Amino acid sequence: YPQNVDDAMTVLPKLATGLDVNVRFTGVSDFEYTPECSIFDLLGIPLYHGWLVDPQSPEAVSAVGKLSYNQLVEKIITCKHSSDTNLVTEGLIAEQFLETTAAQLTYHGLCELTAAAKEGELGVFFRNNHFSTMTKHKSHLYLLVTDQGFLQEEQVVWESLHNVDGDSCFCDSDFHLSHSLGKGPGAEGGSASPEKQRQVDQDYLIALSLQQQQPQGTLGLSDLELAQQLQQEEYQQQQGAQPVPARAPSPQGRGAPSGRPAGERRRPKPESDCVLL
C-alpha cells in the first residue's frame, strides 16, 4: 500500500498531459502493470478497454496470445524479418489483427465489456489514447460527453456505447434520448431555450421554414427538378415586380426583331431555354 501511494503521488502531476497504459488483448480489465495503473487501483476506479481478440478466430488468438500491445508490435517486427515461414505467417496474422481492429474496439470486446461492468458503476474506458468516464444504466453502456463542440448542448450528457463503428446516440442526464441536435420548433415543450442553443438550431429552423414555403408540388422532386422549379418561380416573381405596361401601341412591338430596349425582357422563356442553376 505505501508503494502504491508513492507511485500514485508521482503519477498525479501527469494527469494534465496523459497517462501511459498498455492493454492486453485477453480481457477488458487486462493491462500491463505500469505505475500509472496504480492510481486506479488505489482509488478503486475500474479501468476498462474493449480491444479483445475474437475467440472464434483461433489463428489470431494463437498469434496474439497474452501479449500486450507493445509486446505484440515488437513480435510483428521480429517475425517479419525471420527466415522461418511459420513465424512470418504468425507475424502477418498479428499485423492483420491490429489493422482490422484499428478502432481498438471489437464486438467480442463490447460484449465482454457489457458483461463485466456493474450496473450504476462509474469507471474509466480507454480507447485510442483517450480516457472516458463510463457507466452502465439498465444494461447499456454510456460514455460521458466531454467534447468541446457540445459545450452549449445542455441536453447532451451521455453518449451510448453499443457499436464499434461509432454509430451512437446522445442522451441527457436522465439517460433519455436527446433531440437537441435536430429538434424542430416547439420540441422543447414549455421551457424557453437558451440563446446559444437557439443559435445552434438556426440552420435547421431556416431550412424548415424554406421547406414549408415551398408548394406541395415540389415534394418528391429531384434536386435538379427542384432547382429548375425554384428558378422558374423566381423568374415569375421578378416579372410580377415589373408589370407590363398597358396594351397601348408601342413603337417597339412585342415581336419586334430589333431595337428592343435593354431593360425590356418580359417575354416568358420557352420551355427549351436553358435554366441557370
Side-chain angles (χ1 to χ4, degrees):
Y1 181 81
Q3 182 63 40
N4 289 339
V5 173
D6 293 339
D7 292 342
M9 296 302 295
T10 304
V11 171
L12 282 177
K14 299 180 180 180
L15 291 176
T17 57
L19 298 176
D20 181 21
V21 296
N22 191 15
V23 303
R24 294 186 185 274
F25 306 98
T26 52
V28 294
S29 299
D30 294 346
F31 292 85
E32 181 181 2
Y33 180 80
T34 59
E36 286 79 0
C37 293
S38 63
I39 190 171
F40 296 97
D41 297 335
L42 185 64
L43 298 177
I45 300 176
L47 178 63
Y48 297 110
H49 71 91
W51 200 359
L52 301 185
V53 182
D54 190 345
Q56 296 183 357
S57 301
E59 294 181 351
V61 173
S62 176
V64 174
K66 297 182 180 180
L67 301 178
S68 65
Y69 173 78
N70 293 341
Q71 293 172 342
L72 184 61
V73 172
E74 294 177 357
K75 176 181 178 179
I76 293 174
I77 296 175
T78 302
C79 291
K80 292 178 67 175
H81 292 83
S82 175
S83 57
D84 190 341
T85 306
N86 294 330
L87 290 179
V88 173
T89 302
E90 190 172 348
L92 293 177
I93 294 175
E95 184 178 28
Q96 184 180 13
F97 166 74
L98 293 181
E99 292 177 352
T100 55
T101 60
Q104 298 187 6
L105 179 64
T106 62
Y107 282 105
H108 175 64
L110 185 58
C111 293
E112 292 293 319
L113 184 63
T114 304
K118 299 178 181 179
E119 184 71 18
E121 176 186 60
L122 284 177
V124 175
F125 177 65
F126 176 76
R127 181 185 183 186
N128 290 329
N129 293 328
H130 286 79
F131 296 87
S132 302
T133 301
M134 186 184 73
T135 190
K136 185 177 180 180
H137 178 74
K138 293 183 178 180
S139 302
H140 296 283
L141 299 178
Y142 296 90
L143 302 178
L144 185 66
V145 177
T146 58
D147 193 281
Q148 185 73 15
F150 298 99
L151 182 61
Q152 305 302 332
E153 296 289 344
E154 298 180 355
Q155 300 302 317
V156 177
V157 180
W158 296 100
E159 179 182 4
S160 63
L161 180 62
H162 61 272
N163 196 304
V164 300
D165 300 326
D167 185 13
S168 57
C169 303
F170 294 102
C171 302
D172 58 14
S173 57
D174 296 323
F175 300 97
H176 297 153
L177 188 62
S178 175
H179 301 281
S180 62
L181 298 180
K183 60 181 178 296
E188 297 176 14
S191 61
S193 61
E195 181 63 26
K196 293 183 179 180
Q197 191 165 348
R198 287 200 299 266
Q199 293 178 359
V200 174
D201 300 330
Q202 184 178 7
D203 291 342
Y204 175 83
L205 296 177
I206 293 177
L208 182 61
S209 177
L210 292 176
Q211 181 179 4
Q212 292 174 347
Q213 293 176 4
Q214 298 304 321
Q216 296 296 326
T218 59
L219 298 178
L221 296 180
S222 64
D223 293 342
L224 177 59
E225 293 171 340
L226 181 58
Q228 292 176 343
Q229 183 166 343
L230 292 176
Q231 180 71 17
Q232 183 65 22
E233 292 175 0
E234 181 180 358
Y235 178 80
Q236 293 175 356
Q237 291 176 0
Q238 293 177 355
Q239 301 312 307
Q242 299 178 2
V244 180
R247 296 182 181 178
S250 172
Q252 300 295 337
R254 179 176 298 181
S258 61
R260 182 174 60 189
E264 184 178 350
R265 297 180 180 177
R266 304 185 183 92
R267 180 174 60 85
K269 293 184 178 180
E271 292 297 328
S272 60
D273 284 4
C274 296
V275 177
L276 298 179
L277 300 182

